[in-house]
Each structure stands twice: as structure tokens, then as C-alpha cells.
Amino acid sequence: MPSISLTRHLIEEQRLGHVTPDLRLLLEVVARACKRISVAVGKGALGDVLGEAGGADGSINIQGEAQKKLDVISNEILLEANAWGGHLAACASEEMEHSQQIPDAFPRGNYLLVFDPLDGSSNIDINASVGTIFSVLRCPEGVSAAEDHDFLQAGSTQVAAGYCLYGPSTMLVLTIGHGTHGFTLDREQGSFVLTGPHMRIPEQTREFAINMSNQRHWEAPTQAYVADLLAGKDGPRGQDFNMRWVAAMVGDVHRILTRGGIFIYPWDRKDPAKPGKLRLMYEANPMAMLVEQAGGAASTGRERILDIPPTSLHQRVPVFLGSKEEVETATRYHRQHDTAAA
Ligand code: F6P
């Protein structure tokens, strides 16, 4: 059986009418940029790519987080790769306060690309998994020079979403709305090879992922839900649960796509101005699409993530995603709490 490359997979999807030629080429460009990021990440200390950006004092991104050199390098690789292809109207990124139009020197296309160039960047300096997350939206009709507000579309309108995980192997996981498919980078050939067609998340799980150090800041339904997981066999769930935390959403979601689980980054009281840590447009939405396309579910605890009408480019949301029945159980705790409080 010959191996199926990403290029061949996308051409077959185009023949089936699942992807337009422009979107196919755009996804090829994103995949090419991810290969370049994979090379930069893989050099580690030998490539002078570790540590903070901007010298000893460091530099801070729009999220108020310290920027790593590799955050900046990855952002530049994605912007440069996508500038001249003619498929995009504009890009937006975690690392930039505002969206960036495709420069006048190049033709503009009909899609918008939004990305987190290097997710989990606190893992960079410890040589642990990091990744790129991306989402593709249609540029609204009649808009030639897209701006921030043109990106504010619910996740259900995404035409493609994916991530590239830079781990022991580099993997691109992609959906164009017809299942979620995983590709492993063959470093010798330089191409992504289909190794995980139609990934499926088991509906039930005994594994959860949450940063327990924030426990005292959580609201009541999250407290109650996690307490029952921790009570294991002796509690109302009647079974033991295992815990894992990669500290890079790409790593945790990849595990869930591979063997199930629930990933949680809930609302907490640490900073009431921030409803959760994760960003809707370039973290929660693309991951929610990938997870739903693999038979899982993605919720804030109270509503489906893909239904949220965004109000700003860098909006944050609480996230409960993964095995369908477990996400439903977590949302039930919220519903019961809200009903009792009403
Ligand atoms: O900024 C996003 C992120 O790095 C995610 O990739 C990851 O799941 C989370 O933050 C880690 O958060 P914490 O620092 O609380 O472990």
C-alpha cells in the first residue's frame, strides 16, 4: 500500500468537492511553514533559538506574556510563507495586537488565517512538546482589505483547522470538515504522510488534564466535578481517573485525539477580567473543530465553543474538550449548579 502524502490527500479531497483549489494551496503553504518551524524548534540550543526574545529584558506580547525567540521566529515564518501565495486576505496571530493585511505588493485572496505560532512556549527551553495551532475562515463577501472585525466569526464557520505538534516526531493534524486526519513528517522525504486517517476519540474516558495548582481559584461546578474525579472508586463516579498535564494544549489535545480524555482550562478567579486562559479564535475554536470532527465535544461548561460569537480577536474562554460523554458530564455539573443558584 503506497503511503499517502498530505498533497495527495488534499487533491483527493478537492476531487470530492470538500476543498477549493485555493484552500488546498493555502493549507499546503501552512504545512510548509510548519516544516520550517519544526526545523527551527529541532535545532534547540545549537540554533541559538532558545530563551527570551528581545535580549536580557525580554519582550512582552499582546497577552502580557514573555515572548520567546521561537515565538517570534515562528510568527515570522508563518507571515512570510503566507504573504505571497494569493490565497489570503489577512492573517491574525497571538503575537500581534491586530490582524495584518496581505501587503499591497501581493494579490489578496478570499481566506483569513488566524494562528498561535508556537503554543506551549514555556516548554521550549525544557525540550518538551510545543506546536502551531491554526484556523481558516472565509473573508466576508466584498471585503478586499480585511481588518480585525472581519475575523470575528463563530468557530462553526471555520473552513479548516489544525495543529502541528513538534514532539519526538512532527505531526500535522488537520480537518476541513470531513473528519480529522493525522500526518507524520517524514524528515528524510520532507513530506507529511497520512498516518492517522479519521481519528476517533473514545466517547468515554478515565483520564483528565487540568492544572491543579489553580484549584482554589475555580468556581463551584468545576470544584465539584474535579473533586468527584479525584474521589475515584470511592466517589460518585465509582471508578479511578488518571491525570496528565503536558502544559501545551497541542500535546494534551493530541493525546486526547489518540486515546481519549478530557482537557480542561476552566474560568477561574485569579484574574476576574480573564474568563479562562485560552484564546477563542486561535486555540479553542480550531481545537474544538478538530475534536468535534473526531467524534468528541468542546464546551465552555455552559455552551458549545463553536457557537460563541467572538467579540474580540484575543478573547479568552473556558475550555472543556475531549471524550463526548465526559464533556457532557462536566457540563451537567454546571447546569445543575446554575439551576440550583437560580
Ligand atoms: O497559553 C496557552 C498554554 O500554553 C496552553 O498551551 C497550555 O495548555 C496552557 O497554556 C498551560 O497553562 P499553565 O501555565 O497553567 O500550565
Side-chain angles (χ1 to χ4, degrees), residues 65 119-120 211 214 245 247-249 263 265 277-279 283:
E65 292 160 357
D119 175 62
N211 183 343
N214 293 324
W245 187 246
M249 190 188 195
F263 168 88
Y265 216 113
K277 179 177 187 192
L278 302 179
R279 278 51 64 106
E283 291 178 319

Side-chain angles (χ1 to χ4, degrees), residues 30 33 42 47 63 108 110 115 265 269-270 295 300-301 304 311 339:
V30 172
Q63 319 294 335
R108 292 204 181 109
N110 298 322
F115 51 82
Y265 216 113
R269 251 175 227 97
K270 245 199 308 197
T300 62
R304 180 179 175 234
T311 52
T339 311

Side-chain angles (χ1 to χ4, degrees), residues 48 64 116 138 146 157 176 192 206 218 226 229 246 257 269 277 304 313 323 328:
D48 191 26
D116 178 352
R138 275 199 193 84
T157 66
I176 50 172
F192 281 107
R206 292 181 176 203
W218 300 337
V226 176
L229 296 180
V246 178
L257 280 164
R269 251 175 227 97
K277 179 177 187 192
R304 180 179 175 234
L313 209 48
S323 292
E328 279 162 9

Side-chain angles (χ1 to χ4, degrees), residues 163-234:
Y163 63 78
C164 191
L165 172 68
Y166 312 111
S169 59
T170 291
M171 281 201 73
L172 181 77
V173 177
L174 180 68
T175 181
I176 50 172
H178 294 271
T180 293
H181 307 283
F183 302 82
T184 304
L185 180 61
D186 179 333
R187 293 183 209 269
E188 281 75 44
Q189 303 292 330
S191 65
F192 281 107
V193 177
L194 183 63
T195 48
H198 296 285
M199 297 171 91
R200 297 302 292 172
I201 301 176
E203 295 198 353
Q204 297 169 342
T205 184
R206 292 181 176 203
E207 201 159 65
F208 68 103
I210 191 165
N211 183 343
M212 285 295 301
S213 69
N214 293 324
Q215 184 173 20
R216 69 187 188 286
H217 303 295
W218 300 337
E219 60 171 336
T222 310
Q223 295 278 6
Y225 170 65
V226 176
D228 287 352
L229 296 180
L230 294 174
K233 273 202 185 100
D234 304 330

Side-chain angles (χ1 to χ4, degrees), residues 92-335:
S93 158
E94 184 195 14
E95 302 300 331
M96 308 187 305
E97 183 166 6
H98 295 292
S99 59
Q100 190 167 304
Q101 284 170 25
I102 295 304
D104 288 337
F106 301 113
R108 292 204 181 109
N110 298 322
Y111 292 102
L112 304 173
L113 178 68
V114 52
F115 51 82
D116 178 352
L118 207 60
D119 175 62
S121 44
S122 68
N123 277 358
I124 292 171
D125 294 343
I126 59 163
N127 197 16
S129 294
V130 289
T132 298
I133 311 175
F134 60 91
S135 156
V136 185
L137 297 159
R138 275 199 193 84
C139 189
E141 205 70 16
V143 170
S144 63
E147 296 183 33
D148 287 4
H149 56 81
D150 297 313
F151 284 79
L152 303 183
Q153 308 174 34
S156 54
T157 66
Q158 292 172 108
V159 292
Y163 63 78
C164 191
L165 172 68
Y166 312 111
S169 59
T170 291
M171 281 201 73
L172 181 77
V173 177
L174 180 68
T175 181
I176 50 172
H178 294 271
T180 293
H181 307 283
F183 302 82
T184 304
L185 180 61
D186 179 333
R187 293 183 209 269
E188 281 75 44
Q189 303 292 330
S191 65
F192 281 107
V193 177
L194 183 63
T195 48
H198 296 285
M199 297 171 91
R200 297 302 292 172
I201 301 176
E203 295 198 353
Q204 297 169 342
T205 184
R206 292 181 176 203
E207 201 159 65
F208 68 103
I210 191 165
N211 183 343
M212 285 295 301
S213 69
N214 293 324
Q215 184 173 20
R216 69 187 188 286
H217 303 295
W218 300 337
E219 60 171 336
T222 310
Q223 295 278 6
Y225 170 65
V226 176
D228 287 352
L229 296 180
L230 294 174
K233 273 202 185 100
D234 304 330
R237 301 297 304 271
Q239 59 181 30
D240 289 337
F241 285 81
N242 184 34
M243 200 191 90
R244 287 283 180 270
W245 187 246
V246 178
M249 190 188 195
V250 274
D252 283 306
V253 171
H254 192 70
R255 184 187 60 256
I256 287 169
L257 280 164
T258 309
R259 67 174 191 217
I262 181 167
F263 168 88
I264 309 166
Y265 216 113
W267 180 91
D268 67 41
R269 251 175 227 97
K270 245 199 308 197
D271 181 351
K274 291 181 182 169
K277 179 177 187 192
L278 302 179
R279 278 51 64 106
L280 175 63
M281 301 292 299
Y282 41 83
E283 291 178 319
N285 271 345
M287 292 308 202
M289 183 175 180
L290 288 162
V291 162
E292 284 198 6
Q293 285 291 319
S299 166
T300 62
R302 294 186 167 86
E303 64 181 318
R304 180 179 175 234
I305 285 175
L306 294 180
D307 287 338
I308 301 174
T311 52
S312 72
L313 209 48
H314 300 288
Q315 181 176 347
R316 295 173 195 260
V317 286
V319 173
F320 293 74
L321 63 74
S323 292
K324 200 170 186 173
E325 287 189 16
E326 202 50 45
V327 174
E328 279 162 9
T329 301
T331 57
R332 199 162 54 241
Y333 278 73
H334 287 77
R335 212 168 33 248

